[in-house]
Amino acid sequence: MEPSQIISALERGGVVDLASLGSNPARAAARRGLVVVQRTAAVAATQPVGALQHMHAVALSARVPIAFLAGAALWVHGRGPEPELIEVGVNEHRGLSVARPVVARRVSASTLANVVERHSLPVVALETAIVQRAAQVSSADVLALVTRALRDRVTTVDRLRAACRRGFAGSRAVRAALVEVRGGDLELQTRRLRRALLAAGVTGLRTEAHLTSSEGVACYLDLLHEASAKALELDGPYHDLPEQRRIDRHRDRWIRAEFGIEVVRIADEEVRRDLAGVVAELVPQLRPAA
């Protein structure tokens, strides 16, 4: 193997395209101490072979657009365990040759048009991966998956709902989980609070504001008032759990340090029960920062 090929392989996690080894790639791979992990790719015999190597091998050798799906995509997004079965989506099977534990799934062109790159791998968006995974696991697992994603603020209710499209088998399960984990009407209370604040003269409120830190860490805020550097977070009942309170405090400190924004937490039950009182308390706080 030429030095340039070795460097290129190392950059891909040690995965080598068999097509680069000449007319008899299997024999050439054996002479170089390589182990074939997919039909068109190999790794060094001394290297452990896991999901990452198989995924890089498929991405390296694919001759058509692909995207890793469901559990494999969740793992790459950092939201699930290393998958035993790696699903890769393709619009047409011609130009893609895979072997276990990788399996090819036919997906629509629109799914492949919305691929994102994570760790040099093409994967479906996090929200799409959650919906796809929801079709494969129990309702309890779907609820846990959705709860963690919303709790960690890596997505929003609106983005998850938008991913629940007709024809996606997991859409119903994700919608049901959203109703349960968000108390059914937390979004309604957020809209009610925003309208009431606007009526009270507060302007410049952004809903589900997306912020990204200098290190690329993202978060979503229910309502953001940039003029006063305040974020309003409506909390459902699960925020009363001790572990969740600890997570919330850590996140609030991080947002203050990273963006200079103070987080004001409001129980959704308070908005539901006494909207006027909540607005009267908030309006003096939402004045432009000095």
Side-chain angles (χ1 to χ4, degrees):
M1 191 184 308
E2 295 298 324
S4 61
Q5 293 175 310
I6 295 174
I7 293 172
S8 181
L10 289 174
E11 290 174 348
R12 294 187 299 269
V15 179
V16 178
D17 187 349
L18 292 181
S20 67
L21 300 183
S23 58
N24 195 328
R27 182 178 300 172
R31 283 201 307 268
R32 290 164 171 79
L34 300 175
V35 175
V36 176
V37 293
Q38 285 294 315
R39 290 168 182 161
T40 57
V43 298
T46 56
Q47 178 173 312
V49 177
L52 184 63
Q53 286 71 36
H54 282 287
M55 294 170 78
H56 274 297
V58 172
L60 173 67
S61 58
R63 302 294 180 258
V64 292
I66 64 168
F68 292 102
L69 315 172
L74 286 176
W75 179 60
V76 177
H77 280 290
R79 309 306 302 176
E82 183 172 349
E84 295 182 3
L85 186 69
I86 301 166
E87 297 175 271
V88 59
V90 63
N91 193 240
E92 58 179 56
H93 290 283
R94 183 184 304 171
L96 181 69
S97 178
V98 298
R100 291 278 176 171
V102 181
V103 294
R105 306 289 191 211
R106 186 77 176 269
V107 297
S108 67
S110 61
T111 297
L112 294 177
N114 291 292
V115 170
V116 297
E117 185 178 299
R118 294 290 183 272
H119 305 292
S120 301
L121 290 168
V123 297
V124 293
L126 173 62
E127 294 77 16
T128 301
I130 289 174
V131 175
Q132 291 171 343
R133 186 60 176 159
Q136 304 168 341
V137 298
S138 68
S139 57
D141 288 336
V142 176
L143 179 59
L145 178 61
V146 170
T147 298
R148 286 194 299 269
L150 292 174
R151 180 195 67 194
D152 296 342
R153 306 287 180 167
V154 294
T155 186
T156 68
V157 170
D158 284 349
R159 290 170 69 90
L160 280 172
R161 281 213 186 100
C164 295
R165 300 198 300 271
R166 179 177 295 180
F168 279 23
S171 293
R172 179 177 296 181
V174 171
R175 290 192 188 101
L178 287 173
V179 169
E180 185 169 351
V181 77
R182 300 294 272 177
D185 68 344
L186 195 144
E187 292 71 44
L188 171 62
Q189 304 312 322
T190 302
R191 291 195 296 270
R192 289 183 66 225
L193 177 59
R194 182 176 183 273
R195 285 197 297 266
L197 287 170
L198 290 174
V202 177
T203 59
L205 282 168
R206 290 172 54 193
T207 58
E208 292 199 333
H210 179 206
L211 303 179
T212 304
S213 73
S214 57
E215 296 180 351
V217 180
C219 70
Y220 291 89
L221 301 170
D222 292 337
L223 290 170
L224 174 62
H225 189 243
E226 291 178 312
S228 63
K230 295 283 198 311
L232 308 181
E233 293 283 86
L234 268 70
D235 292 344
Y238 71 93
H239 284 270
D240 292 331
L241 299 174
E243 175 63 15
Q244 186 57 46
R245 286 202 299 268
R246 184 189 67 78
I247 292 170
D248 288 343
R249 286 195 298 269
H250 175 78
R251 179 175 178 271
D252 293 351
R253 287 194 297 268
W254 176 77
I255 290 173
R256 187 183 304 112
E258 188 70 32
F259 304 105
I261 294 171
E262 180 184 351
V263 177
V264 179
R265 294 193 170 272
I266 307 153
D268 64 329
E269 178 59 30
E270 288 296 312
V271 177
R272 190 180 296 109
R273 181 175 53 84
D274 184 17
L275 177 60
V278 171
V279 170
E281 185 176 338
L282 288 175
V283 166
Q285 301 181 53
L286 301 179
R287 291 178 179 148

